[in-house]
Amino acid sequence: MAATVREYKEELKYLNKLSDNCWQIKKGFVDNMKVEGRFYVDSKLEKLMFEELQQACRSKGVGGFLPAVKQIANVAALPGITGYSIGLPDIHSGYGFAIGNMAAFDMSNPEAVVSPGGVGFDINCGVRLLRTNLTEKDVKPVKEQLAQSLFDHIPVGVGSKGVIPMGAKELEEALEMGMDWSLREGYAWAEDKEHCEEYGRMLQADPNKVSARAKKRGLPQLGTLGAGNHYAEIQVVDEIYNDHAAKKMGIDRKGQVCLMIHSGSRGLGHQVATDALVQMEKAMKRDKIQVNDRQLACARIHSQEGQDYLKAMAAAANYAWVNRSSMTFLTRQAFAKQFNTTPDDLDMHVIYDVSHNIAKVEEHMVDGVQKTLLVHRKGSTRAFPPHHPLIPVDYQMTGQPVLIGGTMGTCSYVLTGTETGMAATYGTTCHGAGRAWSRAKSRRNLDYQTVLKNLHDLGISIRVASPKLVMEEAPESYKDVTSVVNTCHDVGISKKVLKLRPIAVIKG
């Protein structure tokens, strides 16, 4: 034990607090660091971070997960990384990259790599927010019926199968076309596409780079929510921090009802990542690429393996947008049926759709020079500032909407991107609360009936396919989303616009 405590103290020498909310991880914290690390936390989140680091130190040789701080540093050792390896306030341990870790790689550097661990297994897991012209008073009397209607319309759970007709030919088209496929088939409105990151379609997608096994897994799952932390949630506007930005999003009063959908690319995306990791391990041996953690398997961006992965990842991202579009269609049906009107009359427009797990080629300023970078965002959200050419016309004066999902039973937030964030984090901010407990720990420490009672006392209706998910996704399992959001707001990498309070939750 003395050795591990000594080692822990030694590691602390490489950590330097730069400001109230920003820490530096100096080179030398782990071997071969090309750049420094940075992570953003407030005092509450900082305590969690260092507890995790200390616990991991104590469990060395016993097989504990690498804590997030170590993972940020290991990413800083990857070839071709530029700037910093950055941890957002919701950061927690993940596969390869921590969840809440972003890193950018210089496309002009022949050594630069792409790593599936920097995207995650649920490619383009993301959040979509719809507004309505309903108020809490309109919904409250029929809340239970509306929750049940949503649960009936949207297939949920691990083995759920979609209700959107889909054959092999249609799947190929969806992988290539993204939301253009949804639009063509009548499952989306033209405005939906305008209010979606990448306009709902990554053009480099190549369905031929997606394996037959991945397609087989994805074929029955289109238009399904899945399990884990995915949800559809009826929410009420609780606070408005920026009236101008809120009005641009179609939010003009407290009590206005919104709908948030959180889901990704299901089994198809998971298989794309799995397939790529196998190929990249071979590429690493061939190209003699050294990494600190084998979960950071990677390939040169311009290698065959790197390009194949990026094309398959883009196809999986397109699948995820089609998936969220299909659930938007089903949600609009459920609301229209309940209120005996049309989705159009209910003003059920998409405010925005953001990605949380994706790698994208973007233009950024690095040391005063414009560079083309491959930006990995894992468990983090793009947050571009006002006047950026890649955000919709509606949001040119306010900045890109950023959707931060809370936990089952806690609030969610809408933020906007800033110039500060563009310079400090390549236009990136947090994505949610971030886990504080593992799923196993949640099941051990929480009681199903107690969690349900707590939600009921908060006035939140719930429909869930699996009782164990109630413990795994309980608010106690996560960090405080308000601390996470306030950290980003105080640092200036994104700014608060709205707070949303849940009144009904649909889970897998």
Side-chain angles (χ1 to χ4, degrees), residues 213-494:
R213 179 166 170 74
K215 290 172 184 173
K216 185 179 179 182
R217 291 182 68 180
L219 190 58
Q221 293 183 331
L222 197 70
T224 65
L225 196 59
N229 62 347
H230 294 161
Y231 58 78
E233 198 167 272
I234 302 169
Q235 302 174 334
V236 171
V237 176
D238 202 43
E239 294 287 345
I240 298 175
Y241 305 104
N242 183 327
D243 284 317
H244 175 64
K247 282 186 169 66
K248 285 290 181 186
M249 297 173 193
I251 303 295
D252 56 12
R253 63 201 182 281
K254 287 186 187 182
Q256 192 170 339
V257 170
C258 297
L259 192 288
M260 187 175 273
I261 297 169
H262 177 205
S263 192
S265 51
R266 306 288 279 110
L268 182 138
H270 195 285
Q271 192 62 47
V272 165
T274 303
D275 293 340
L277 287 167
V278 173
Q279 295 306 312
M280 289 189 178
E281 287 204 2
K282 296 174 186 172
M284 285 171 67
K285 286 178 185 172
R286 182 193 66 216
D287 295 335
K288 297 181 172 57
I289 300 170
Q290 299 293 319
V291 294
N292 290 345
D293 174 12
R294 67 183 302 270
Q295 291 185 357
L296 289 171
C298 56
R300 308 275 186 233
I301 294 171
H302 299 293
S303 69
Q304 185 68 53
E305 293 84 359
Q307 288 299 302
D308 284 354
Y309 169 70
L310 287 170
K311 290 171 183 175
M313 182 213 70
N318 287 348
Y319 178 97
W321 280 313
V322 172
N323 193 34
R324 290 199 286 276
S325 294
S326 301
M327 284 186 281
T328 300
F329 171 77
L330 297 169
T331 296
R332 285 169 171 157
Q333 282 192 323
F335 268 73
K337 184 178 178 183
Q338 181 61 53
F339 292 99
N340 196 28
T341 184
T342 66
D344 200 39
D345 284 341
L346 291 172
D347 192 36
M348 293 189 75
H349 287 274
V350 172
I351 290 177
Y352 208 60
D353 180 302
V354 294
S355 307
H356 289 161
N357 288 355
I358 207 158
K360 290 196 295 188
V361 177
E362 296 173 359
E363 298 293 319
H364 289 274
M365 298 302 290
V366 180
D367 299 326
V369 178
Q370 183 170 320
K371 294 210 167 189
T372 303
L373 307 179
L374 181 66
V375 183
H376 293 62
R377 294 189 180 95
K378 180 179 181 179
S380 55
T381 313
R382 192 186 79 175
F384 281 173
H387 314 300
H388 196 285
L390 293 181
I391 62 175
V393 174
D394 314 30
Y395 303 131
Q396 278 292 308
M397 302 305 289
T398 61
Q400 177 207 307
V402 178
L403 311 175
I404 310 299
T407 66
M408 183 178 67
T410 63
C411 52
S412 296
Y413 288 86
V414 181
L415 316 177
T416 48
T418 65
E419 288 291 352
T420 299
M422 204 65 182
T425 62
Y426 298 111
T428 308
T429 192
C430 61
H431 89 301
R435 291 199 76 88
W437 293 354
S438 69
R439 296 184 183 280
K441 185 176 179 180
S442 298
R443 290 196 299 272
R444 283 196 308 270
N445 287 277
L446 299 172
D447 174 67
Y448 173 65
Q449 293 298 338
T450 304
V451 177
L452 287 183
K453 182 183 182 303
N454 291 343
L455 290 172
H456 181 266
D457 292 347
L458 290 167
I460 300 168
S461 300
I462 180 169
R463 296 293 185 280
V464 63
S466 166
K468 74 173 184 178
L469 265 181
V470 173
M471 288 89 79
E472 291 177 1
E473 297 301 317
E476 295 89 338
S477 303
Y478 285 84
K479 295 176 183 176
D480 178 5
V481 69
T482 300
S483 272
V484 169
V485 166
N486 284 344
T487 302
C488 293
H489 179 85
D490 293 343
V491 170
I493 58 176
S494 48

Side-chain angles (χ1 to χ4, degrees), residues 60-78:
K60 274 187 178 176
V62 187
F65 275 110
L66 276 176
V69 177
K70 285 278 182 70
Q71 292 191 295
I72 296 169
N74 283 336
V75 167
L78 288 174

Side-chain angles (χ1 to χ4, degrees), residues 84-231:
Y84 305 107
S85 173
I86 294 168
L88 285 312
D90 50 342
I91 194 161
H92 56 290
S93 299
Y95 184 94
F97 279 55
I99 298 159
N101 190 182
M102 70 76 51
F105 295 81
D106 185 351
M107 298 279 287
S108 66
N109 182 343
E111 303 287 303
V113 297
V114 57
S115 175
V119 172
F121 284 92
D122 192 2
I123 295 166
N124 192 8
C125 176
V127 172
R128 173 176 293 209
L129 184 66
L130 286 79
R131 67 173 189 248
T132 75
N133 54 22
L134 297 165
T135 65
E136 187 173 10
K137 286 181 181 176
D138 298 323
V139 169
K140 206 168 183 180
V142 294
K143 187 174 66 170
E144 292 296 338
Q145 296 96 307
L146 188 56
Q148 189 60 47
S149 182
L150 269 178
F151 192 70
D152 292 341
H153 275 76
I154 300 174
V156 301
V158 176
S160 55
K161 293 190 176 180
V163 294
I164 304 294
M166 173 71 67
K169 178 175 176 290
E170 288 80 12
L171 179 63
E172 294 281 331
E173 292 171 346
L175 291 174
E176 183 180 346
M177 296 171 65
M179 279 182 67
D180 286 334
W181 183 87
S182 301
L183 197 58
R184 188 191 74 186
E185 298 298 315
Y187 298 119
W189 299 352
E191 306 94 296
D192 296 352
K193 187 172 145 57
E194 293 298 311
H195 288 166
C196 184
E197 195 171 323
E198 294 290 310
Y199 300 101
R201 180 180 186 178
M202 292 188 81
L203 296 174
Q204 67 267 49
D206 184 352
N208 294 320
K209 302 301 181 184
V210 178
S211 70
R213 179 166 170 74
K215 290 172 184 173
K216 185 179 179 182
R217 291 182 68 180
L219 190 58
Q221 293 183 331
L222 197 70
T224 65
L225 196 59
N229 62 347
H230 294 161
Y231 58 78

